[in-house]
Every structure is written in C-alpha cells, then in structure tokens.
C-alpha cells in the first residue's frame, strides 16, 4: 500500500509542480522542439505513476490480481511490498484510478473520432470549393489553391497531408514569403503535430481540473507553432516568415491595440524579429536526456522494495 501511495503522491506532485516550473523557464521559447519532448516525458511520467499505483493497489486488494502481477517473483519480493495491509482502501484506490484510466481511453478515442470526422468534412468541403479535374483523384494534389477574398493557409493532416492556400494569400505574399509559409505548414505535417494536439486535447477535456493536462494542451498549441516557425526560418530567414505572418493576419485585427483573437501571433512575430541565441548543443542534449529519465522515476519507485528484497 505504501508503494501505491508513494506513486500516487509522485504523480500528483508532478501534475501540480511541473507546469509552474516550466512556465517560469525561459528556454522553451528558444528551443520549442526540446520543450515539446520535455512536456511529453512529464505527462508520460504522470500517467505512468497513476497506472503503477493502480496496479499495486489492485494487487493489494485482490489475490487474483496479485497472482498475475507477482507470478514470477520470489515470495520474499511479494512480502516486501506488504500487500496484505489496508485492503479496503487499496480496492477503493484501484477502482478510482482504473476509472480514470478508462475515462482517459474514452476521451482519447472520442478525440480521434472527432478529428477524423472533422478531417473528412474538411476534405468534402475542399472538393466542393475546389473540384478535381478529369483524371485526378481526390486528395491526390499535395497543394490546393482556393478562390477566396481572405488570405489564409493551412494544412489538412492525414495519410496524404494537403497544403491549402487561398488566392488572396497568393496575391499578398511576395517572393519567398509564400515558400516560407509552405515550409511552415510542411513542418507541421512532417512532425505529425496533429497527434500531439489530439492527445493533449483529449487529456485536458477529460480532466479539466488537472493543471498539467490543461497546461500540456495550451503549450502544445503554442510550441508546435514556434517549432514550425523555426523550420521555415532556417530555410528562408526569420524576417521572411515574420512578414508572411503579418501579411496573412493583418486584416484580422491581430496586431491592433485591443484584445486580439490570436494573441500568440504578435508574440511569434516579435520572437522572429528579435531572435535570442539558441541553447548550446550540449545543453540541448542534457535537457533531452534528463527529460527521458523523468518517466523512469516512477519505475524506480515501484521496483525499489523488490530490489531491496533481492539484494
């Protein structure tokens, strides 16, 4: 029971403290790809802590579960976990955590179905606004141009991602700005940022009161844009992609004095026009390695009693 409580406490502390620590850090804006990795590792550690706590609680509450979990373990290892104590509370904790796991799976499944439905609807709308020519197959063209008065560009995820751009955007974007916008959208497609957005959205919608999941969703939306901006800027320059963002969004009131519908856009443009040096390769490597070790912590907590019994 103590191991279950320790894992539960570890997950709760990580879920509450980590968003605050990352919010105070300045390096995520300089290294959005590394920050994406760190967030994924932290959320994985939280989920793993809860999953392991559920497993040990169920093993303490029910002999049948204990037999499956500790089937190959020596008797001394089983005794080291003191699974016989606090059985009623163990059963309650196991049921609560199992319910949370089922709810997580349900929300993720719902998010995937919704995303597929939205994608099908978007492709159907695209076929209506831009019908295929004789001899073409729907979804075959990697680039689709739509007749529209509003400058815009976006990508449709899927097995064959498509980049969509309006004629108004083609008229406004000059020279390499169009190439920079396309590189930005291709950065989203190649990194499969849609999966990060779906998973983070499912967790945040399923557990709106858990700080780490709400922050995970918000940061995924912000960091994937910064990462795609960096992809485009490395190929065509920071000034080019910054001016392209201004051209595409100037008419939407994003850069006005009042509250903007997308407050991140001015921040993205300022970041591109006033670049801060990247972290050194050594520090990026250390951050990546340290983040990879975060999900190992719950495993260590779970295995310590057994390893002590064997040692």
């Amino acid at each position: 029971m103590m191991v279950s409580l320790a894992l539960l406490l570890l997950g709760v502390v990580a879920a509450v403290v980590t968003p605050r620590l990352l919010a105070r850090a300045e390096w995520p804006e300089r290294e959005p790809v590394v920050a994406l990795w760190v967030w994924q590792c932290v959320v994985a550690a939280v989920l793993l802590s809860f999953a392991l706590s559920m497993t040990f609680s169920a093993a303490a509450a029910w002999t049948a579960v204990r037999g499956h979990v500790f089937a190959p373990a020596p008797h001394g290892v089983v005794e080291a976990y003191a699974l016989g104590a606090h059985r009623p509370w163990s059963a309650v904790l196991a049921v609560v955590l199992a319910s949370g796991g089922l709810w997580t799976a349900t929300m993720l499944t719902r998010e995937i179905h919704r995303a597929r439905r939205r994608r099908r609807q978007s492709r159907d709308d695209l076929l209506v606004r831009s019908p295929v020519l004789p001899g073409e197959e729907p979804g075959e063209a990697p680039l689709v141009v739509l007749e529209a008065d509003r400058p815009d560009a976006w990508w449709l995820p899927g097995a064959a991602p498509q980049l969509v751009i309006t004629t108004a955007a083609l008229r406004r974007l000059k020279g390499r700005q169009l190439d920079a916008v396309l590189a930005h959208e291709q950065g989203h497609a190649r990194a499969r940022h849609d999966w990060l957005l779906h998973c983070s959205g499912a967790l945040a919608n399923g557990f709106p009161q858990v700080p780490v999941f709400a922050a995970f969703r918000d940061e995924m939306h912000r960091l994937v844009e910064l990462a795609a901006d960096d992809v485009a800027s490395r190929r065509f320059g920071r000034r080019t992609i910054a001016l392209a963002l201004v051209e595409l969004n100037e008419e939407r009131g994003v850069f006005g004095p009042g509250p903007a519908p997308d407050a991140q856009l001015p921040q993205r443009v300022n970041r591109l026009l006033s670049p801060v040096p990247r972290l050194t390769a050594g520090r990026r490597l250390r951050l990546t390695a340290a983040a990879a070790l975060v999900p190992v912590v719950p495993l260590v907590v779970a295995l310590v009693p057994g390893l002590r019994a064997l040692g």
Side-chain angles (χ1 to χ4, degrees), residues 66-298:
R66 188 186 315 169
H68 287 290
V69 174
F70 292 94
H75 183 69
V77 171
V78 181
E79 289 185 344
Y81 285 92
L83 298 174
H86 310 289
R87 283 192 176 184
W89 290 108
S90 297
V92 171
L93 182 58
V95 170
V96 170
L97 292 175
S99 300
L102 290 174
W103 182 246
T104 301
T106 300
M107 295 301 296
L108 184 57
T109 302
R110 189 182 74 168
E111 180 66 25
I112 292 174
H113 285 311
R114 284 182 173 180
R116 288 177 176 174
R117 186 165 61 249
R118 288 194 299 266
R119 188 160 60 238
R120 284 195 299 268
Q121 184 63 46
S122 298
R123 292 190 184 277
D124 291 342
D125 294 344
L126 193 61
L127 286 176
V128 173
R129 298 177 63 186
S130 179
V132 296
L133 298 175
E136 288 185 341
E137 292 292 334
E140 185 180 69
L143 177 64
V144 179
V145 178
L146 292 181
E147 182 69 34
D149 297 329
R150 180 178 176 177
D152 204 354
W154 68 94
W155 66 291
L156 288 178
Q162 288 182 293
L163 300 177
V164 184
I165 190 166
T166 64
T167 52
L170 292 177
R171 289 192 294 268
R172 291 189 68 104
L173 297 176
K174 304 174 183 63
R176 288 157 57 90
Q177 292 175 6
L178 175 60
D179 294 330
V181 170
L182 297 181
H184 173 99
E185 301 301 335
Q186 287 171 346
H188 284 310
R190 289 172 181 168
R192 298 308 303 265
H193 286 158
D194 55 317
W195 282 103
L196 284 176
L197 299 180
H198 295 332
C199 292
S200 62
L203 289 171
N205 293 333
F207 303 94
Q209 303 303 322
V210 180
V212 71
F213 296 149
F216 182 46
R217 175 196 56 197
D218 296 340
E219 284 298 287
M220 289 305 98
H221 280 275
R222 185 177 76 95
L223 292 172
V224 297
E225 294 299 335
L226 298 185
D229 287 343
D230 289 347
V231 170
S233 67
R234 281 194 287 270
R235 292 183 60 186
F236 300 101
R238 289 179 171 270
R239 184 171 179 272
T240 302
I241 184 63
L243 292 176
L245 290 174
V246 172
E247 291 291 342
L248 288 177
N249 298 280
E250 189 174 14
E251 296 180 353
R252 303 179 188 180
V254 174
F255 301 99
D262 190 348
Q264 292 184 4
L265 271 168
Q267 298 172 6
R268 288 167 57 193
V269 171
N270 291 335
R271 173 180 178 268
L272 290 166
L273 295 179
S274 304
V276 178
R278 296 187 63 186
L279 301 181
T280 63
R283 188 176 179 189
R284 293 199 301 270
L285 181 61
R286 289 193 295 273
L287 282 171
T288 303
L293 293 176
V294 172
V296 179
V297 175

Side-chain angles (χ1 to χ4, degrees), residues 1-91:
M1 184 64 182
M2 293 304 298
V3 175
S4 300
L5 293 177
L7 288 166
L8 180 63
L9 181 61
L10 176 64
V12 170
V13 170
V16 173
V17 174
T18 303
R20 298 178 182 178
L21 293 178
L22 290 176
R24 295 174 184 173
E26 297 180 355
W27 63 265
E29 190 164 305
R30 299 165 63 183
E31 297 294 342
V33 174
V34 177
L36 286 170
W37 169 250
V38 170
W39 270 105
Q40 292 175 72
C41 290
V42 169
V43 171
V46 171
L47 296 177
L48 184 58
S49 296
F50 293 152
L52 289 172
S53 179
M54 177 197 68
T55 301
F56 283 106
S57 297
W62 298 291
T63 306
V65 177
R66 188 186 315 169
H68 287 290
V69 174
F70 292 94
H75 183 69
V77 171
V78 181
E79 289 185 344
Y81 285 92
L83 298 174
H86 310 289
R87 283 192 176 184
W89 290 108
S90 297

